[in-house]
Amino acid sequence: AIPHAVIIMSIIVVAVATLLMTSSSIAVLPTVIATAWLVFHAAPVAGEDVVIAAVPLLPALLTIALSARQVHASVRKRFSIIDLLMVFAWSLSTPLLLTVIALLMLADAQTVYPVAVPPIGPVLVSVLLVHLMAFVVGLGPKAWRALARRYRVPLSIIDGVGVGVKTLAALSAAAAVVGVILLVIGWERQAEIMAAYPQAGTAAKLALVLLSLAYIPNAVIGVGGVLLGSEYQFGAASVSLFETHLVPLPPFPVLGVVPASSASWAWIGLFISVAVIVAVMLRMRPSPVMTLSAGLATWVIVAIAVLLTGGEVGAYSDTGLPVLWTASLALIWVGGIALAVTLMLLVFQRRQARGESEEDPADYAEQELDMLADDAVPAEHAQGEGAEKTPDAEYDYAEDAEDSEYSEYTADFAANDSENDGDSMDKTDAADNTNVTEDSGEADDVDDADDADELGETAAASEDAKNENNRQNDEAKRTE
């Protein structure tokens, strides 16, 4: 209730000051308070046979900010689902009750003052939308993520909503820049509009300027919708990037940004929205699920914003952007471009990962040649250089092997060693060395067929050594 009390007290202070400055009767104060309450909720207001539904959006944004802050303070610490439901019910029921009281005050005052009760349905819808947005914003990302975990909702959906909000914020900033450019270009129209009030004093002109400033959010939403490709309507008048058809508009300063016609190159403004969306997506890098969530969130937010800023304005029956068409364009632009950028980034990342995992063919061929050159070195040459295979090298090789070929080879080598040791206990050390030389020659013959000449010499030397060994054995037997 604190935000509502702050709003009501602010309205009372401003209303009393205005009545005193204009020397008006204090009896009209309840009517002013009730009308201002509706304006602070973007609800329609009415006079004698006049309904203004497109009221300034800035007061409603202040209401959303105050209510969201109160909601956030209520759920900032630990909260239960019951607490959350109570905050939700209180956030909606209190402003609805106060709105009903305001409508009753207007109904009582319409018999005395030139006011009327606006359409009740749109009024209640506007109040509900304003405070629903305040509740959603007030919970904050942490509370929404906690609720998502509680009910097993993918967190990427919550993150996607954040992507959609940031995208709309960037689009709004771009629309504001375009609006300022249009304001500078059409400054002469601003002067003509102010000249339409020759008898207005300084206070009246100041009030007109302040009212125009309150309509700035409406102008930003209108320019943003046009940049998405939609069409802004003001009664029979229409403004878009492709065609502009104007009728006499009210002498209101904020309408000075409306150009008299659309240039033939104005459609290039579509690329402003495309560039902004692409820049946001490249920075956020959302997943496919996040892009879909961002598109849907964009659709909902744009639909609510367009609904609150449009409606009847006196003789101009239909004012604002088409709700469904503008929201659908936002969904197509944001969701479609986001999905395209996301898929492009995924393809690029996979290609980059695949390129890093595969070796360069030229480097691979060079490594193969180096390995063959190392295998072609004779065993005697390797031993001559002092190169000796260590047990650590054998372990590494066996560990890196993809099959058990090296393990089988090692087992057979150990078995042969044990058998040779049993058979040659009575042989001399020279004979053992000769057998090792023979085994080395045979292994070299198996490993490398290209060194046939060297292997032939080794085999001959082994044969001579074997004959010498046999001769020494015979002499040893004869000696015994």
Side-chain angles (χ1 to χ4, degrees):
I2 295 178
H4 311 307
V6 171
I7 294 173
I8 293 174
M9 291 303 298
S10 302
I11 292 173
I12 293 174
V13 171
V14 174
V16 170
T18 304
L19 293 176
L20 292 177
M21 292 175 61
T22 57
S23 301
S24 300
S25 174
I26 199 68
V28 77
L29 181 61
T31 305
V32 174
I33 294 174
T35 303
W37 173 263
L38 297 181
V39 172
F40 269 81
H41 289 83
V45 295
E48 290 182 339
D49 300 328
V50 176
V51 176
I52 300 178
V55 297
L57 194 60
L58 184 59
L61 293 179
L62 295 177
T63 302
I64 292 174
L66 291 174
S67 299
R69 183 178 180 181
Q70 183 63 32
V71 171
H72 183 71
S74 301
V75 299
R76 182 173 53 187
K77 299 180 180 179
R78 297 176 61 89
F79 63 90
S80 64
I81 301 299
I82 300 299
D83 297 334
L84 190 62
L85 292 176
M86 291 180 63
V87 172
F88 177 75
W90 184 261
S91 300
L92 296 184
S93 61
T94 302
L96 286 176
L97 178 61
L98 294 176
T99 301
V100 171
I101 295 174
L103 293 175
L104 293 175
M105 293 169 62
L106 291 174
D108 181 65
Q110 68 181 354
T111 59
V112 181
Y113 301 104
V115 294
V117 178
I120 298 178
V123 168
L124 296 180
V125 170
S126 298
V127 174
L128 283 175
L129 289 177
V130 167
H131 286 278
L132 277 175
M133 294 181 65
F135 179 80
V136 171
V137 174
L139 284 184
K142 293 183 179 180
W144 282 112
R145 292 174 70 88
L147 290 174
R149 294 190 187 96
R150 171 67 174 79
Y151 294 101
R152 298 180 180 179
V153 176
L155 295 179
S156 57
I157 295 179
I158 307 300
D159 296 335
V161 174
V163 173
V165 172
K166 292 180 180 179
T167 304
L168 288 178
L171 289 173
S172 299
V177 173
V178 174
V180 171
I181 294 174
L182 293 175
L183 181 64
V184 173
I185 295 175
W187 187 255
E188 294 181 357
R189 293 192 296 271
Q190 302 290 330
E192 294 176 358
I193 291 174
M194 297 301 295
Y197 301 93
Q199 298 180 354
T202 303
K205 290 183 178 181
L206 179 60
L208 189 62
V209 171
L210 293 177
L211 185 59
S212 298
L213 292 177
Y215 271 100
I216 286 180
N218 303 58
V220 170
I221 293 173
V223 174
V226 171
L227 291 178
L228 289 175
S230 185
E231 182 181 60
Y232 193 92
Q233 298 177 349
F234 205 101
S238 62
V239 180
S240 70
L241 294 176
F242 308 99
E243 184 181 5
T244 297
H245 175 68
L246 291 183
V247 297
L249 298 176
F252 196 57
V254 74
L255 296 178
V257 301
V258 180
S261 61
S262 297
S264 59
W265 47 266
W267 59 270
I268 299 178
L270 292 173
F271 290 97
I272 297 176
S273 301
V274 174
V276 170
I277 297 172
V278 170
V280 173
M281 296 307 161
L282 288 177
R283 183 170 59 89
M284 300 297 296
R285 295 178 178 270
S287 64
V289 176
M290 292 171 63
T291 59
L292 296 177
S293 177
L296 293 177
T298 302
W299 189 93
V300 173
I301 296 173
V302 170
I304 293 176
V306 172
L307 183 62
L308 292 178
T309 56
E312 183 179 355
V313 180
Y316 302 90
S317 57
D318 191 8
T319 302
L321 298 165
V323 177
L324 295 179
W325 176 238
T326 307
S328 300
L329 285 175
L331 171 62
I332 293 172
W333 283 115
V334 176
I337 295 176
L339 186 60
V341 172
T342 300
L343 294 178
M344 180 187 67
L345 291 175
L346 290 176
V347 172
F348 178 76
Q349 291 174 358
R350 288 186 178 181
R351 288 184 177 180
Q352 186 178 9
R354 186 180 302 174
E356 292 177 355
S357 62
E358 293 180 354
E359 296 181 352
D360 189 1
D363 296 339
Y364 181 77
E366 184 177 356
Q367 293 177 4
E368 288 290 333
L369 291 176
D370 293 340
M371 293 176 63
L372 291 175
D374 293 339
D375 292 340
V377 177
E380 292 84 352
H381 181 67
Q383 293 177 359
E385 292 180 352
E388 182 180 9
K389 183 182 288 186
T390 62
D392 292 338
E394 292 178 356
Y395 178 79
D396 293 340
Y397 179 81
E399 184 179 28
D400 294 338
E402 295 181 358
D403 50 23
S404 59
E405 183 177 353
Y406 181 79
S407 300
E408 294 176 357
Y409 169 77
T410 306
D412 293 340
F413 183 76
N416 291 335
D417 281 346
S418 62
E419 182 179 356
N420 291 334
D421 291 341
D423 293 341
S424 59
M425 290 180 64
D426 57 340
K427 295 182 181 180
T428 61
D429 294 337
D432 292 338
N433 294 331
T434 303
N435 290 334
V436 171
T437 303
E438 180 182 0
D439 293 337
S440 300
E442 292 176 356
D444 290 337
D445 183 59
V446 174
D447 293 337
D448 195 356
D450 293 337
D451 299 332
D453 295 337
E454 294 180 3
L455 291 176
E457 294 175 0
T458 304
S462 299
E463 186 67 24
D464 294 339
K466 184 178 181 180
N467 293 334
E468 181 65 21
N469 188 28
N470 292 335
R471 187 179 63 77
Q472 291 178 1
N473 291 335
D474 292 339
E475 290 178 356
K477 288 181 181 180
R478 285 196 297 270
T479 303
E480 291 176 0

